[in-house]
Amino acid sequence: MKRQLGNASLIVLGAAAIFAISACDTSVNVEMDKEEAAPTVADATAFVARAEETLARESEAAARTAWVNANFISYDTNWLAAKSSEKMTTLGVDLAQEASTYRDLDLPDDVARKIKLLRLGLTLPAPQGDTKATAELAQITTDLEASYGKGKYCPEGDGSLLQSYAREDGCLSLTELEAVITSSRNPGELLEAWEGWRTVSVPMAPKYARMVEIANAGAEGLGFADVGAMWRSNYDMEADAFAEDVDRLWGEVKPLYNALQCHVRAKLNETYGNDVVPLDQPIPAHLLGNMWAQQWGNIYDLVAPDTMASGYDLTALLNAKGYDAMDMVKTAETFFTSLGFDALPETFYERSLFLKPADRDVVCHASAWNLDDKDDIRIKMCIKVDAEDFQTVHHEIGHNIYQRAYSIQDPLFRGDPNDGFHEAIGDMIALSITPGYLQEIGLLETLPPEDADLGILLRQAMDKVAFLPFGLMVDKWRWQVFSGELTPADYNAGWWKLREEYQGVGAPDTRPVDAFDPGAKFHIPGNTPYMRYFLAHIFQFQFQKAACDLAGWEGPLHRCSIYGNEAVGEKFNEMMEMGASHTWQEALAAFTGKGEADATAIQSYFAPLKTWLDEQNADRSCGW
Ligand code: X8Z
Ligand code: ZN
C-alpha cells in the first residue's frame, strides 16, 4: 500500500465519493457464500470498528518503515519497504472487498461514510488473494520510487557543458541538475541538464507498464473500470461529474493562462531568438526555469519589463538576512502560531530531515508525515535557501498542521475529504507572504511602491497560473494510461501531446524511442495522484478569499495577509478538524460559505495582471 504525501498513514483516509458502481460490482456478491446470512447493519458497524482498530495498529509500523526507506535508500530498506507495502496492500484490498458487501445497506451516516472510505482507501490495489501479483506490485512501486530518489546523470566523454556543476564523482543528481535549470541562461547547458535528468527514467518504462496491469486488475476486482476510474471516484460525486468539473475549472482559468503563456513566449523569444523560441510553437520545456516547466518564477528576470517598478527578490532577501534552512522552518511555524495554532512539537525538530545528506541517497522530494497519527509530525526535505523552498516549507508545514487538526477524529476520518485540501492549506498561508508581511517580520526594509504590484503579481502568476495546465495534464495522462487509451508504446508520445495541448510547452528535442519522460516527474514513479495539485491551486485562492473576507480586508486580494489573525485561524481550524468526516463540499462550505470549487477567487486575485497581459499581447499572435 502506498504512502501518500501529506498523509503518511499508510491507508489514505481521504476523499470519499459516491460512485455509481458498474456491473462488475456484482462479482463481489457472486463470490459470497450463498449459505451466509445477509449482512446486517450490526455486522457493518462491527466490521468498521474492527477495521479501524486493525488499521490503527498496522499503519504505524508501515509508516515508520516507509520513513526509514525514504531517508536511507538501500537494498535492505527497499526490501523491508516492499514487504511492508505488500502487507498493507493485502490488508487494504481485503478491507475494501469486505466493505463492498455492506454498501447496499441503509447504514447510519458515519458508518456509511467509513465503508465508502475503505473502498477507496488504496492508491494502487492488487487483485485480491493473488499473493504473487501483490508482492510484484509492492516490489515495482518500491523500486520505482528508489530509482527516482537515487537518480543521477553521469556525462560520458569530454563533451559535457555541465562540468562546473558536477559533483566530485563527475555525476549530477537532481539537485545539481535543477540548479542548472534554475540559474543557467545558456540553452546548451539547459538542454543537457534537461535531457540528462530524463535518462534516469528510461529503465522505469517496462516496470511501469506491468504495475498498471496489476493495479488495474485490483481495481476491477473492487468494482471499478480501472485505477483512473477509482481515483476519480474519490471526490463525493460521480466519477464522470468530477472529470467534467475539472474541465469546467480549467475552462475558467484558461484565458488567464493563455495570456501568460503568450507573454512569456514573447519575452523568451527576445532572449533566445527565433531559432530557439519560434513565436508560433509551444515553448521548449528546458527554458522555463523548472525541470518540469511546471512553475516559471525562476525566470522572472527574463520576463519582467524594464519599465515595471521592481517589487522585491525574496531569494536575495533571505540570503541578505543570512537565513538558513532552520530559520525558514521557524518562520513558517511562526506564521501558524500567529493564527493561534500550537507550536510544533520538539520531536518535529529532532526527527525531521531538513538538509540533503552528503553521504547517502534519500528521496529529496519534499513531503510531510504523521508517523503515529497523533503528534509525531515531521517533514522530509532537502531545503535550499531560496524563494521556491520558502514557499515549499510553508506547504509542508501546512500538511502537518492539517494532520494534527484531524487527529482528533476516528481513525478512518483522519484525512482530508478532498486531497486538494491537503495541498492547499500551506499554499494558502503562503499567499499571505506579502510585502507588508515581509516588512513586519523584518525581511524587507521598505515597502515597494504601489505600482510594483503588477511585477509582484506577474512573479506570482508565473508560479501559480503557469502551474494550472501542468497540474491538470499529469493525471489526464495517467487516466489515459490506466484506461488503456494509451498503450506502453505510446506512453511518451501521449505525454507530449498533452503537454503541448494544455501547456503550450513542447519537448526541446526529438525524444529517443525508449524515452519515458513522465517517469522523470516524482509523482509518476512515486504513484502520487496529481489532480490534487490542480484542485489546490483553485482552492487556495478560495480559502484566501474567505479568510480575507473574515478578516474584514477591503483592498485587493493579492495584498491581503492574514498573519496574526486568530479569528481566521480558529475558523480555518474548524474546517481542518472535520478531517474526512464530512463531504468536501460540506467542509468547504463550513469555511467559505460555498460548497463547490470556484475559480472566481483566482481570477479576481490576478485580474489587474490579466488586463496588463492583454495590453502586452495586443499586437502579438498568441496560441501554438
Ligand atoms: O509535490 C509537491 C509537494 C509535496 S506534496 C512538494 N508539490 C507538487 C510538485 O512538486 O510537483 C507541490 C506543488 C506541486
Ligand atoms: Zn503537498
Side-chain angles (χ1 to χ4, degrees):
M1 186 170 310
K2 196 61 201 82
R3 174 188 55 74
Q4 290 299 287
L5 294 177
N7 184 350
S9 306
L10 270 260
I11 284 268
V12 184
L13 304 177
I18 299 159
F19 181 64
I21 290 298
S22 62
C24 326
D25 185 50
T26 51
S27 64
V28 171
N29 296 328
V30 170
E31 282 165 19
M32 276 176 54
D33 186 345
K34 295 278 186 308
E35 300 302 312
E36 258 178 35
T40 65
V41 173
D43 293 337
T45 309
F47 161 68
V48 162
R50 249 187 358 260
E52 290 198 297
E53 196 260 317
T54 312
L55 285 171
R57 193 179 59 241
E58 298 292 338
S59 60
E60 185 172 347
R64 294 193 190 284
T65 306
W67 172 267
V68 174
N69 181 220
N71 278 273
F72 302 83
I73 306 174
S74 74
Y75 175 83
D76 298 300
T77 61
N78 286 348
W79 191 94
L80 290 165
K83 285 278 171 239
S84 161
S85 165
E86 181 186 338
K87 181 174 169 192
M88 293 305 284
T89 300
T90 304
L91 173 62
V93 171
D94 288 347
L95 291 174
Q97 285 287 12
E98 188 168 349
S100 297
T101 64
Y102 302 111
R103 277 172 54 233
D104 295 334
L105 291 174
D106 190 13
L107 297 167
D109 288 350
D110 60 332
V111 179
R113 187 156 179 86
K114 287 176 180 176
I115 291 284
K116 205 171 4 168
L117 291 169
L118 280 167
R119 279 196 74 230
L120 292 162
L122 282 167
T123 303
L124 293 180
Q128 193 182 28
D130 189 340
T131 50
K132 206 160 154 256
T134 309
E136 190 183 354
L137 179 66
Q139 192 63 55
I140 290 175
T141 54
T142 306
D143 287 351
L144 285 173
E145 186 165 342
S147 52
Y148 185 95
K150 290 192 297 195
K152 284 166 205 45
Y153 162 61
C154 304
E156 282 162 24
D158 298 333
S160 172
L161 300 174
L162 304 183
Q163 272 145 11
S164 64
Y165 296 90
R167 308 176 313 183
E168 271 180 16
D169 64 0
C171 297
L172 296 93
S173 70
L174 179 57
T175 308
E176 286 87 36
L177 293 166
E178 282 192 275
V180 180
I181 296 280
T182 304
S183 62
S184 173
R185 303 292 180 248
N186 172 331
E189 289 180 7
L190 290 167
L191 185 60
E192 187 183 345
W194 189 92
E195 288 175 338
W197 178 242
R198 281 156 183 80
T199 59
V200 165
S201 49
V202 170
M204 294 177 187
K207 292 184 190 181
Y208 196 83
R210 175 69 185 136
M211 181 198 85
V212 167
E213 236 171 56
I214 300 175
N216 267 341
E220 278 168 38
L222 293 176
F224 300 95
D226 60 68
V227 172
M230 185 170 165
W231 290 6
R232 292 191 295 279
S233 303
N234 219 356
Y235 293 94
D236 293 315
M237 54 169 77
E238 300 268 342
D240 290 349
F242 175 70
E244 278 168 29
D245 217 30
V246 293
D247 286 342
R248 167 186 68 85
L249 291 165
W250 169 235
E252 287 170 20
V253 292
K254 198 173 162 197
L256 176 59
Y257 175 78
N258 285 356
L260 180 68
Q261 195 271 4
C262 187
H263 179 63
V264 169
R265 182 174 63 185
K267 299 306 283 184
L268 288 176
N269 172 275
E270 286 173 21
T271 305
Y272 294 110
N274 284 329
D275 287 349
V276 182
V277 186
L279 284 172
D280 56 353
Q281 295 295 312
I283 304 173
H286 62 313
L287 305 177
L288 287 156
N290 174 280
M291 185 56 92
W292 307 276
Q294 66 183 65
Q295 284 141 334
W296 307 344
N298 290 326
I299 56 154
Y300 175 66
D301 59 313
L302 300 183
V303 172
D306 306 333
T307 52
M308 200 179 255
S310 64
Y312 58 90
D313 175 347
L314 186 52
T315 301
L317 294 179
L318 292 165
N319 284 300
K321 293 282 170 190
Y323 267 52
D324 61 13
M326 187 63 85
D327 296 324
M328 288 162 65
V329 173
K330 288 272 180 197
T331 305
E333 178 188 20
T334 304
F335 201 114
F336 283 95
T337 54
S338 88
L339 300 177
F341 291 96
D342 289 341
L344 293 165
E346 277 295 302
T347 53
F348 170 89
Y349 287 99
E350 290 161 14
R351 299 172 189 169
S352 287
L353 179 84
F354 296 133
L355 294 174
K356 184 176 160 120
D359 57 350
R360 63 176 200 263
D361 289 321
V362 304
V363 178
C364 266
H365 190 88
S367 54
W369 302 56
N370 186 353
L371 279 287
D372 63 356
D373 260 359
K374 294 187 202 82
D375 218 28
D376 190 353
I377 47 182
R378 317 175 187 176
I379 65 171
K380 182 181 63 56
M381 200 178 153
C382 305
I383 301 177
K384 300 172 269 87
V385 180
D386 62 20
E388 189 174 314
D389 276 7
F390 194 58
Q391 152 83 29
T392 304
V393 166
H394 288 77
H395 176 96
E396 297 307 330
I397 293 180
H399 282 309
N400 286 147
I401 299 292
Y402 196 11
Q403 288 161 341
R404 187 189 238 180
Y406 59 58
S407 68
I408 58 165
Q409 292 286 344
D410 289 350
L412 280 165
F413 291 155
R414 288 178 203 152
D416 54 67
N418 177 319
D419 49 11
F421 285 18
H422 233 306
E423 302 304 335
I425 306 285
D427 278 15
M428 174 268 220
I429 296 303
L431 289 178
S432 284
I433 304 174
T434 57
Y437 164 74
L438 291 172
Q439 192 188 40
E440 203 172 336
I441 64 164
L443 264 170
L444 186 63
E445 307 286 324
T446 36
L447 285 182
E450 281 201 5
D451 65 354
D453 270 24
L454 270 176
I456 296 169
L457 271 179
L458 177 58
R459 172 78 175 71
Q460 183 79 309
M462 288 178 69
D463 283 336
K464 302 288 181 180
V465 177
F467 181 81
L468 290 160
F470 184 77
L472 187 72
M473 63 72 54
V474 171
D475 276 356
K476 290 250 175 198
W477 178 81
R478 253 187 308 212
W479 293 352
Q480 292 181 2
V481 164
F482 285 124
S483 75
E485 187 181 337
L486 276 179
T487 58
D490 293 329
Y491 279 175
N492 213 47
W495 173 259
W496 284 108
K497 190 159 177 277
L498 290 165
R499 293 270 267 169
E500 291 193 9
E501 179 184 344
Y502 284 96
Q503 289 185 282
V505 166
D509 58 5
T510 306
R511 302 303 295 136
V513 281
D514 60 352
F516 180 57
D517 297 328
K521 174 68 198 161
F522 171 78
H523 303 70
I524 301 300
N527 283 302
T528 305
Y530 210 82
M531 199 56 83
R532 60 184 61 184
Y533 302 107
F534 172 78
L535 297 170
H537 276 67
I538 304 291
F539 286 142
Q540 64 188 264
F541 290 93
Q542 267 185 274
F543 290 164
Q544 179 70 348
K545 170 89 172 64
C548 293
D549 285 350
L550 197 67
W553 176 257
E554 283 174 358
L557 191 54
H558 64 271
R559 262 190 241 151
C560 167
S561 178
I562 57 160
Y563 182 62
N565 194 319
E566 293 199 8
V568 170
E570 196 178 318
K571 185 97 191 282
F572 201 41
N573 191 47
E574 281 169 20
M575 179 188 81
M576 290 200 287
E577 277 185 352
M578 291 165 79
S581 66
H582 291 70
T583 65
W584 67 263
Q585 293 89 339
E586 286 167 329
L588 183 65
F591 185 61
T592 69
K594 191 173 170 194
E596 66 183 60
D598 176 1
T600 52
I602 186 171
Q603 282 167 339
S604 61
Y605 187 101
F606 288 109
L609 180 72
K610 175 71 165 60
T611 307
W612 182 84
L613 286 170
D614 288 345
E615 284 162 19
Q616 302 306 305
N617 293 331
D619 296 327
R620 292 175 179 147
S621 159
C622 294
W624 54 87

